[in-house]
Every structure is written in C-alpha cells, then in structure tokens.
Amino acid sequence: MTDCFHILHTRLEGQRGYLYALITGCLFLLFLVTLPAILTGLEDNVDGMTGYHWFYVAFVAVSGLCYGVVAYLAYRYLPDIARSWLILLGFTALLAGLIFAFAFPSNAGVLDNFLFAKPEGLALSLMTLLVDGIVIAVSFVIALLLLSSAPQWAGNLATALVLGSAVLSLYSLYTIDERVSRKSESAELGGPRLFHYSPTGKNVLVLFLDGAMSGYMPDIIDSSPGLTRQFSGFTWYSNVVSPGNRTITGVPALFGGFDYTVAEINKRQGPLQVKVSDAYRIFVDNFSRHDYTVLYSDPLWFGFQRKGDCELFNDQYEKDGKGRCIHSIGKLIGDKKERVQDRRQVFLELAKQYLAIALYKIAPTSLRSQIYDGGNWLGLSYAPTKKETKYLDNYFSLDSLADLSDTSATRNTFTFLANELTRATLFVKPDCLPEASQSTEDPAIKALVTHYGAAETAAIYQTTGCAVQALGRYMEWMKEKGIYDNTMIVIVSDHGWTSKNPLLKNVKDQTRFSMFQSFLMVKPFATANRPLRESKEFISSANVPGMLCDLLGGCLDQATGKTIRHMPLTDPVTLFETPWQPSGQNSDTYVVDAMYQVSGDITNSDSWQYLE
C-alpha cells in the first residue's frame, strides 16, 4: 500500500490543490447541502414552510463559508504528504457515503415525527460491523487505485457529482416552494373568510378532531362550567368507539359508515387508494345533489396524502360544481403565531434535523444507532419544535374560526373542517399557549400527572381541553350571528390514542384499547334551548354518516350501490389495528396487525375481546 500511496502522491503533483478543492467541495455540497434538501423536499406537511427555501440558501451560504475557511486553512498549513492523505480519505468518504446512503438502508421501520417505529433494527451486530468494514475497505482501495492511475477520472466524477448536487438542491427547494404556493395552500383563497354559512338556509358542519377521546370530557366540563352553556343543544356520546386505530383507517368509516371499515374495504377489488377515496365522495355527491355548497377543509389522507390532496379533490369535484377543497390549518394566523414562535428559529431547527438525518444515511450502519440517539439525533432533533409548531398551527386555527367565518352563503352549506390539535399534545398555560419551561415539576402539572397516572395522559387532557374551549367560543359566535339553530353540528374523531384514558380505567389493557375510544358530540337543528346532555348509547364514529344522510332521506354510495341511513348499533364493533402510513399497507388491502371486538358498556373490561 505504501508503494501505491507513493505513486498517488506523485501523480497528484500539479493538480493537488484542484482535486482537494473539488473533493472537499463535493463532500460539503452532496452530503451537507443536497441530501438534507432532498429529504426536506419529501416532508409530507409544508405548513409554515413559506420562505424556507430562502432561509436554507442563506444557511448554506454561512455554513459553506465556515466550511471553506476551515478547509482552506487545513490545506494552507499542511505539508504536501498530508494534503495527499486528505484527498485520498476524502474521496474514500465520498464513495463510502454514497454506498451507505443508497445501498444499505437500515430496517428501523417508519419515521414518524423523527422517531423510528422499530429502532431495535439499528442494534449493533457482528454482521453490520463486518459489512461496514468491507464497504470502507473497498471504497479505500477504489479511491487509492483511481487516484493513482487516473486522477483526472476522479476529478471528473467529483465534478459530475457537484453539478448533479447543485441541480438536485435547486429542484428540491423548488418543490418546497411549489407546494407551499399551490392554490389550495393559498391563505388568500376565498379572501379573509374561508368558511361561509347561510343565515336562513340549512348548514351542516362536521368538525373533525384527529385522535380526540371523549374520556376526558367530564374533567374538562368540571374545570370549565361555561362549556355547558356554550354547547347547548349538544348530545355528548361517552360510550363511543372507532373501528380503526389510525386516521387512514378511521376516516373512511367516518365518511362511508360500516361499509368502509378495514374488513369491508379489504373484501372489495381494486387499488386501496381508490377504495378509500370512494368514502370521501359520498357526502360530496349527495349533499351537492340536494343543492348544498360543499367544502372540505384538510380532508386528511384523501388521495393518500397526509393533509389530503386538494389538487386531486378539486380536479374531480370542483370543476363539476360538486365541492371544493382547501387547506386551512395554519392559514391566516401568522401574526398570532409569530408572537410566540420565531420562524427563523423554527427553520434553523428544521435544517439541523435534516442535516442529522443526512449524516445518519451516509454513516456506516454500525454507527447509525449512535446518530439516532434514541430520537435525540445528536441533540439536533426537530421533534419538540415540530410538535410545538403543529400545536400552534392547529390551536390558532381553531381559535380563529370566528375570524375566518361569515354568514354570506346564499345556499345550504355542508362543511367538513379538520383539525389536528389533539394529536399535538403539550403541557400548556391557562391561556392554552405552551411554554418551554413547563415540566412535570410544576405544581399544577405535577398534580395532573398524579391524577392521570402518566405525563402524556395529562398533556392529552390539557390539549383536549383547549380544543373544546376553542370550539365553545366558535359556538358562541354562531349564536351571536343567529345561525346556531339552523346549523347541525357534529364534532367527531377518527380514533383515540394509546394513553391512560380515564374512561377505560377499569378496563384491562386500558392503554391499548384507548386507541379505539373516539369522540362524538352532535347538535341537531333547532335544539339551541336544550341543555348539553350525555348519552351512554353504544355508538361508533361509523354511525355518523347515517346520522348526516338521514337529513337527505339517505345517501347513495355509488361504489357499493347501497343507501346509507342511520341504524342504531345492535352488534359488536370489530376493531382493526393497522400501520399508520399508506406505505405500510398492501397495494389493494390494509395490513391488519391485530383485531378486537367491543360491545355494550365500553367502561366494562368484559366488553372487550381479542380476536386475533
């Protein structure tokens, strides 16, 4: 090897500086700029990312300047022999990084909120050490031979990578800008008011709270007695379940009823995405046919996009005048959000997170567990900031509903409005705003943790309470505008969440079955003077389509040919545990991890059964 290196050192004479600059520049651009940009471009939610591409350009410029100074000083003061070694090791790192990034992905499961579903897949083993050693050794030998025999080829390869990296970086940043600039993402869509109700006709409003659970309502009502007045006319269903444990399985049943549970969808032929999308069209087809103006705001997982593919929705329905889709979460709230969160700091945290993921991808597989660091990502994790951002986007969107609504509609209206506040649980102050200094050591929070038995469950209680209070203020606005009595309102969720849900405190496997304990409140027309009341009827979120379709005398489902009407539950509800992402399913069916069954009083442990 000494002889080979001597040959390499000799062959680099006269082009050492050129190759050093090219290889060090390529390492920076490819691994520290392009790869993070590509990964950021794959982000499934671009809320709040307006202007990120310009921030990233500035971030790269500053980082590149610092990197360039260090690289220059190293080359300037090192002897030629050390410079040759740096070129060899840099080219080796370039080759090895490419191989590890694209040929050796780790099997750690889905990355959700920057946490792996199966981090045990990163465990160190003798095999991973052996493979890593072979990859690095092969990369070193290739680099040594190429630089010794044809350094110009190495330079050409690095040049091609530099040019390709620049193009990919620009394209990735363009895709981010293009996505935040889409028509459905525009905050100006429809002017300063996004939601329009009829002052004299009928309004149907479905308020969807992702992952909310009704088990916290008794404590929420006790802590805020004014809610009983704000929610007059509502029936709160405490004995309610969802047939799915994920949004991707819970929402279809919410739109299409029991013909859109996991089992029924799996029975039918065709691509899973098409079968799931069939559920979303039922309200669109039927309410538009009865002269309702139909609006879907953030129809989660329509078109198998997490936020809902409004472009696809509008292509299918808006051009025919049947319905329209917008994204409202995080829109027209910038002034409120910026008072409590610095956008530049958020962008910096996001850039650092994707830099950590890029380092993870190019690292030897035996080092990835250390970079992942239990989800801490070497101290660069964006997860806490992302959760806070999601909370603020959704809380301020709920709190601003009155400001975003008016009574200008000239026809009956059907509005589906989604919000994910209850999936971004945080400890909050009495004004419902989070504070970084809050912890389980604070007396008020410590008391809640003691009461509920877990910190996460206490945070769920606080966040759900804030959601209900914000909706209560919206109900007050409707009363002030005189549209409360001519509006049917359904507040519903698609599933629960693993927690110590107090409603199921006497149920064995309380935490697991809490995934299926959902949320349901219903206010029919002309019930404003009736007090809020609780119903312990056994019911499912899959009953909601029947309740709404009864307003029309039933809804025709074109996919199944059946007519949907409300039928009280008499049989047990089968519950399906599945992966949460489309990528975790088969192309034509859901993947079922487990099945359960429940009937009757869900607070009774005997009401729950394991099926498989």
Side-chain angles (χ1 to χ4, degrees):
M1 188 184 78
T2 303
D3 291 340
C4 287
F5 181 76
H6 179 72
I7 295 172
L8 175 149
H9 182 61
T10 303
R11 291 295 302 272
L12 293 182
E13 198 65 42
Q15 50 186 331
R16 192 174 289 113
Y18 163 74
L19 281 173
Y20 176 82
L22 198 56
I23 290 173
T24 53
C26 187
L27 284 169
F28 175 78
L29 188 58
L30 180 59
F31 294 150
L32 304 183
V33 177
T34 302
L35 190 53
I38 292 172
L39 292 168
T40 310
L42 298 176
E43 177 71 35
D44 62 6
N45 192 336
V46 295
D47 285 342
M49 291 183 69
T50 301
Y52 177 79
H53 57 301
W54 292 118
F55 171 87
Y56 192 71
V57 169
F59 175 74
V60 166
V62 173
S63 303
L65 179 62
C66 296
Y67 178 89
V69 169
V70 171
Y72 169 77
L73 292 174
Y75 188 82
R76 174 71 175 78
Y77 292 104
L78 287 174
D80 283 348
I81 192 73
R83 293 171 179 174
S84 296
W85 270 110
L86 284 179
I87 293 171
L88 173 59
L89 294 177
F91 198 53
T92 300
L94 185 61
L95 296 175
L98 288 170
I99 294 172
F100 283 124
F102 298 104
F104 289 93
S106 295
N107 185 24
V110 173
L111 187 67
D112 181 23
N113 197 30
F114 304 109
L115 295 174
F116 282 117
K118 299 177 181 179
E120 61 273 11
L122 301 176
L124 183 64
S125 69
L126 184 60
M127 180 59 69
T128 58
L129 285 172
L130 180 61
V131 171
D132 288 350
I134 292 173
V135 170
I136 293 171
V138 169
S139 299
F140 180 83
V141 170
I142 293 174
L144 180 61
L145 293 176
L146 191 58
L147 288 168
S148 300
S149 60
Q152 69 277 12
W153 290 5
N156 291 339
L157 174 61
T159 300
L161 289 172
V162 166
L163 294 175
S165 297
V167 171
L168 285 173
S169 296
L170 292 174
Y171 177 75
S172 297
L173 294 176
Y174 165 77
T175 60
I176 296 172
D177 183 55
E178 185 273 331
R179 289 168 65 197
V180 300
S181 302
R182 288 176 180 173
K183 180 183 176 183
S184 61
E185 294 282 356
S186 174
E188 286 72 37
L189 188 64
R193 301 288 187 268
L194 301 179
F195 308 108
H196 312 285
Y197 300 99
S198 170
T200 55
K202 292 181 178 181
N203 303 298
V204 178
L205 173 61
V206 180
L207 288 159
F208 168 69
L209 295 178
D210 186 11
M213 294 170 278
S214 65
Y216 298 87
M217 278 297 288
D219 289 345
I220 291 170
I221 292 173
D222 287 345
S223 65
S224 303
L227 292 174
T228 57
R229 172 182 50 80
Q230 291 175 326
F231 286 100
S232 61
F234 272 89
T235 297
W236 158 52
Y237 291 88
S238 56
N239 201 34
V240 57
V241 295
S242 167
N245 72 317
R246 303 290 189 182
T247 300
I248 200 170
T249 54
V251 164
L254 177 60
F255 283 123
F258 288 99
D259 285 321
Y260 287 86
T261 63
V262 169
E264 294 303 313
I265 288 177
N266 281 356
K267 287 179 184 177
R268 296 197 285 273
Q269 300 296 313
L272 181 61
Q273 179 178 340
V274 173
K275 293 187 289 184
V276 169
S277 296
D278 285 339
Y280 292 74
R281 69 180 295 183
I282 294 171
F283 292 150
V284 178
D285 285 343
N286 287 273
F287 277 91
S288 64
R289 189 180 301 121
H290 284 78
D291 201 33
Y292 280 74
T293 298
V294 177
L295 175 68
Y296 275 38
S297 176
D298 298 293
L300 305 183
W301 289 118
F302 177 79
F304 271 18
Q305 287 191 13
R306 190 167 186 168
K307 287 179 57 179
D309 188 345
C310 274
E311 273 62 38
L312 175 62
F313 186 101
N314 290 330
D315 183 61
Q316 292 180 352
Y317 304 118
E318 185 179 25
K319 62 183 181 182
D320 295 330
K322 290 185 174 181
R324 188 164 61 96
C325 177
I326 64 171
H327 292 301
S328 67
I329 295 174
K331 303 297 185 291
L332 299 170
I333 61 163
D335 55 336
K336 296 181 179 180
K337 185 178 174 184
E338 287 175 5
R339 286 200 291 266
V340 295
Q341 190 180 60
D342 185 346
R343 177 181 292 190
R344 290 169 299 180
Q345 184 63 34
V346 172
F347 284 171
L348 178 60
E349 296 298 321
L350 180 63
K352 287 159 56 178
Q353 172 67 79
Y354 280 107
L355 175 61
I357 296 177
L359 293 174
Y360 164 89
K361 288 187 72 66
I362 66 174
T365 54
S366 54
L367 295 180
R368 289 176 178 172
S369 179
Q370 284 68 41
I371 295 174
Y372 177 62
D373 192 20
N376 192 42
W377 295 99
L378 301 175
L380 302 176
S381 175
Y382 177 64
T385 303
K386 182 176 183 179
K387 193 173 188 179
E388 181 184 87
T389 299
K390 184 174 182 176
Y391 178 95
L392 293 173
D393 281 341
N394 284 274
Y395 174 70
F396 284 132
S397 291
L398 274 186
D399 196 47
S400 301
L401 282 177
D403 298 328
L404 302 177
S405 305
D406 64 28
T407 57
S408 64
T410 57
R411 298 163 55 195
N412 297 339
T413 69
F414 176 94
T415 304
F416 172 85
L417 198 162
N419 191 274
E420 297 181 286
L421 179 62
T422 42
R423 283 296 315 277
T425 55
L426 292 174
F427 293 130
V428 295
K429 298 179 293 183
D431 62 0
C432 285
L433 296 181
E435 191 172 87
S437 61
Q438 287 184 300
S439 71
T440 54
E441 297 305 313
D442 293 342
I445 294 175
K446 190 173 184 178
L448 287 175
V449 173
T450 300
H451 175 69
Y452 287 109
E456 177 65 18
T457 303
I460 291 173
Y461 159 73
Q462 284 197 314
T463 304
T464 306
C466 289
V468 173
Q469 290 166 25
L471 289 177
R473 292 190 288 273
Y474 196 36
M475 301 302 108
E476 289 285 4
W477 175 85
M478 288 189 160
K479 292 175 181 178
E480 291 172 4
K481 296 299 180 180
I483 60 171
Y484 192 69
D485 232 22
N486 62 308
T487 303
M488 178 176 180
I489 306 169
V490 176
I491 307 174
V492 63
S493 73
D494 50 345
H495 58 81
W497 201 243
T498 52
S499 63
K500 292 184 178 294
N501 185 332
L503 186 69
L504 306 184
K505 62 184 178 181
N506 296 321
V507 174
K508 185 181 178 181
D509 288 337
Q510 169 195 22
T511 301
R512 176 179 294 275
F513 290 137
S514 288
M515 293 190 295
F516 302 98
Q517 204 282 296
S518 52
F519 188 100
L520 181 60
M521 294 178 68
V522 179
K523 185 198 78 67
F525 293 116
T527 58
N529 295 323
R530 197 192 71 193
L532 171 67
R533 65 188 184 189
E534 177 186 2
S535 171
K536 295 188 177 181
E537 174 190 353
F538 178 54
I539 197 169
S540 168
S541 54
N543 286 108
V544 167
M547 293 179 174
L548 295 173
C549 289
D550 277 357
L551 299 174
L552 310 176
C555 292
L556 175 62
D557 177 6
Q558 295 187 31
T560 64
K562 298 180 181 179
T563 298
I564 300 173
R565 295 187 176 89
H566 179 54
M567 297 288 291
L569 279 179
T570 56
D571 298 323
V573 175
T574 302
L575 315 171
F576 300 88
E577 184 175 345
T578 67
W580 75 272
Q581 281 188 320
S583 60
Q585 318 299 334
N586 299 319
S587 62
D588 58 348
T589 58
Y590 287 110
V591 171
V592 178
D593 293 330
M595 292 173 57
Y596 317 94
Q597 196 175 75
V598 64
S599 61
D601 182 3
I602 66 173
T603 67
N604 187 336
S605 191
D606 293 336
S607 298
W608 301 82
Q609 298 179 28
Y610 284 80
L611 296 182
E612 60 179 68

